[in-house]
Amino acid sequence: MENTAEIDFEKKEELIKAALDEFTEKNFSEASLNTIIKKAGISKGSFYYHFENKEDLYLYLLNHAFNAKWEFIRARGDHNPATLEKDDLFAKIKIQARLGAEFAAAYPQYYQLAMKFSSEKGHEIYDTALDMLGNKSENIFDEMVEAAIRNGNIKDHFSRDFVVKILRYLINHFNEIFDHQEGIGLDELLADLDNFVDFLKYGLSR
Amino acid sequence: MENTAEIDFEKKEELIKAALDEFTEKNFSEASLNTIIKKAGISKGSFYYHFENKEDLYLYLLNHAFNAKWEFIRARGDHNPATLEKDDLFAKIKIQARLGAEFAAAYPQYYQLAMKFSSEKGHEIYDTALDMLGNKSENIFDEMVEAAIRNGNIKDHFSRDFVVKILRYLINHFNEIFDHQEGIGLDELLADLDNFVDFLKYGLSR
DNA sequence: GTTGGTCTAGACCGCTCGGTCTAATCGAAA
DNA sequence: TTTCGATTAGACCGAGCGGTCTAGACCAAC
């Protein structure tokens, strides 16, 4: 794909739709490019004219999904955790997690894609994609935790590393823990979420 | 495979070794039977004489791994959580998790196999294997949690379901959270483990 | 009308996959 | 020594894969 600009062609919509369907159902290696282009009603020649290969398409989709999330969060900038300097770590986490949940509800396919992607850990494609995306959000998150530790809000017999690992992992895997499926109600999800963050707070803060 | 009895044939050892290597590196669908039998120095004909297919081999390995774990835990029956009636839930969890960690250290390949297996969730093979194994351990675990809730040791604004889901998931994914690699020292691992269970205790109990 | 670049169609390629099939080998029983 | 079931070897099969390649459709410029 020409990374310089947004390319456009006749059946781009159909291709993206078909690719999303495939990549949210199967992981990268199991997903079939043939299936995708058949579903999109596009020929091999057309596909390979616009994209380098299967990986190119996958990265393109991932990029779109993450951009959508950033845009979604930016549009609700008033609630952005970075703007709430006075609140404590867990209040920020709650807000951030809420935004994540709302995004998942608004763009379920992008959310599912991100879930499938996170299960690619250990595969080549995972590191390739991380390189491309540049994980800014993780750094912001780490800084939030660091600040909380400095301020003495965390039980002090837990090391910084310990706290960061737990929080990062648990927040990312919240949906997996409570295996919220596609059609779950947002209210129900947010109730679980609040309880979950409370649990984290009791567990880590003093 | 004839499930009735333990079958035996000349290069069984090599086959199991090769299969473990493959199934701990790749997931079920990506693992190559051709690679396995080549590595084991066995022919297609021999393989298909002793096993039905690739799935049969995989289930055979899984079964062996889980039996090994049961045997391992049985051999340390004196520390079995079921025998410690008076201790609280989190003490039991600590003991159980310790056993798991020691098993992982003693049989790293079996442990890795189980990890890879748990990431098969959503695939057909996952349910097939669960059916075969019959998840007894989960039931025992659920009963432990139920008992703790009945005894009033858990914060009462957390529902039973909530507590069970959190504990079951977090205990199973402990190693993933702290991404302990193969050669990690047991001491280091147990230190993280103790802290982690403390975190769970603070988070859930009153 | 001819040229020439853009885009599409789909046959085709080489490869790997899980699985099948048949001929050959082997060893014990007769 | 012959026989016969148990076991092995590996050629072979059809299918699917990602990716390549060429012929031609389309269309604007000249």
Side-chain angles (χ1 to χ4, degrees):
Chain A
M1 197 191 81
E2 296 99 27
N3 273 325
T4 50
E6 265 298 304
I7 44 99
D8 239 324
F9 57 98
E10 203 185 347
K11 303 206 181 158
K12 191 184 174 186
E13 290 288 322
E14 289 92 326
L15 179 61
I16 290 179
K17 176 78 172 58
L20 266 178
D21 286 349
E22 183 75 0
F23 284 123
T24 51
E25 276 196 2
K26 315 258 183 80
N27 64 37
F28 178 71
S29 86
E30 283 164 345
S32 162
L33 187 56
N34 288 327
T35 301
I36 292 174
I37 63 175
K38 197 183 293 176
K39 193 175 207 167
I42 210 179
S43 72
K44 270 268 173 78
S46 286
F47 175 80
Y48 277 97
Y49 182 78
H50 295 290
F51 292 87
E52 270 182 30
N53 48 34
K54 176 175 152 182
E55 176 177 314
D56 190 21
L57 173 63
Y58 184 68
L59 295 180
Y60 175 80
L61 281 186
L62 268 190
N63 206 26
H64 256 233
F66 276 71
N67 284 342
K69 181 159 187 180
W70 271 102
E71 174 57 28
F72 184 89
I73 288 178
R74 197 199 56 74
R76 282 166 177 67
D78 48 312
H79 298 139
N80 195 301
T83 68
L84 296 169
E85 292 300 344
K86 62 182 187 302
D87 279 324
D88 76 320
L89 175 66
F90 296 97
K92 289 180 185 175
I93 286 177
K94 220 171 233 182
I95 292 170
Q96 185 164 294
R98 240 170 219 276
L99 282 174
E102 284 170 14
F103 174 77
Y107 299 90
Q109 289 231 99
Y110 280 159
Y111 169 71
Q112 286 172 56
L113 182 68
M115 286 280 97
K116 275 283 177 197
F117 168 64
S118 86
S119 76
E120 296 283 353
K121 209 172 299 189
H123 293 73
E124 218 185 328
I125 191 73
Y126 183 80
D127 300 308
T128 308
L130 272 197
D131 278 357
M132 180 199 64
L133 296 170
N135 33 21
K136 328 157 197 174
S137 55
E138 289 199 0
N139 295 334
I140 292 176
F141 183 72
D142 285 9
E143 281 163 25
M144 273 167 48
V145 174
E146 295 262 356
I149 292 176
R150 269 197 309 275
N151 295 342
N153 298 323
I154 301 292
K155 288 192 181 72
D156 45 9
H157 70 278
F158 289 150
S159 75
R160 173 163 324 173
D161 201 41
F162 180 85
V163 176
V164 169
K165 274 182 179 167
I166 283 190
L167 284 179
R168 181 146 67 204
Y169 187 91
L170 295 195
I171 287 169
N172 285 332
H173 290 73
F174 163 72
N175 270 276
E176 199 180 326
I177 296 174
F178 295 95
D179 63 350
H180 295 123
Q181 311 292 8
E182 307 182 38
I184 199 82
L186 189 58
D187 294 341
E188 195 175 338
L189 195 150
L190 291 179
D192 273 342
L193 192 68
D194 279 357
N195 275 329
F196 189 64
V197 178
D198 285 343
F199 152 69
L200 294 178
K201 184 175 183 173
Y202 294 142
L204 293 173
S205 73
R206 53 168 152 204
Chain B
M1 200 192 82
E2 296 98 26
N3 273 325
T4 47
E6 267 297 305
I7 43 97
D8 240 324
F9 58 98
E10 201 184 349
K11 302 206 181 157
K12 190 183 174 188
E13 291 287 322
E14 289 93 326
L15 179 62
I16 289 179
K17 177 81 171 56
L20 266 179
D21 286 349
E22 183 75 0
F23 283 123
T24 51
E25 277 197 1
K26 314 257 183 81
N27 65 37
F28 178 70
S29 85
E30 283 164 347
S32 162
L33 188 56
N34 289 328
T35 301
I36 293 173
I37 63 175
K38 196 183 296 177
K39 193 173 206 167
I42 209 179
S43 72
K44 270 269 174 77
S46 285
F47 175 79
Y48 277 97
Y49 181 79
H50 295 290
F51 292 87
E52 270 182 29
N53 48 33
K54 176 175 151 181
E55 176 177 316
D56 190 21
L57 174 62
Y58 184 67
L59 295 179
Y60 175 81
L61 280 185
L62 268 189
N63 206 25
H64 256 234
F66 276 70
N67 284 343
K69 182 160 186 181
W70 271 102
E71 175 56 28
F72 184 89
I73 288 177
R74 198 201 54 76
R76 281 165 176 67
D78 47 314
H79 298 138
N80 196 301
T83 66
L84 296 169
E85 292 300 344
K86 61 182 185 303
D87 280 325
D88 76 321
L89 175 64
F90 295 97
K92 289 180 184 173
I93 287 177
K94 219 170 234 182
I95 291 170
Q96 185 163 295
R98 239 169 218 277
L99 282 174
E102 285 169 16
F103 174 76
Y107 298 90
Q109 290 232 95
Y110 280 159
Y111 169 71
Q112 286 172 57
L113 181 69
M115 287 281 97
K116 277 280 177 198
F117 168 64
S118 85
S119 75
E120 296 283 351
K121 208 173 299 188
H123 292 74
E124 218 185 324
I125 191 73
Y126 183 80
D127 300 309
T128 307
L130 273 197
D131 278 357
M132 179 199 66
L133 295 170
N135 33 22
K136 328 157 197 173
S137 55
E138 290 199 359
N139 295 335
I140 292 177
F141 183 73
D142 284 8
E143 281 163 25
M144 271 168 49
V145 175
E146 296 262 355
I149 292 176
R150 268 198 310 275
N151 295 342
N153 298 324
I154 301 292
K155 287 192 181 70
D156 45 10
H157 69 280
F158 289 150
S159 74
R160 171 164 326 175
D161 202 40
F162 181 86
V163 176
V164 169
K165 274 182 179 167
I166 284 191
L167 284 180
R168 182 147 66 204
Y169 186 91
L170 296 195
I171 288 169
N172 285 332
H173 291 74
F174 163 73
N175 270 277
E176 200 179 326
I177 297 174
F178 296 95
D179 62 351
H180 294 125
Q181 312 292 10
E182 307 181 37
I184 199 80
L186 189 58
D187 293 342
E188 195 175 338
L189 195 151
L190 290 179
D192 274 340
L193 192 69
D194 279 357
N195 276 329
F196 189 64
V197 178
D198 285 344
F199 153 69
L200 293 177
K201 184 174 184 174
Y202 295 142
L204 294 172
S205 72
R206 57 169 153 199

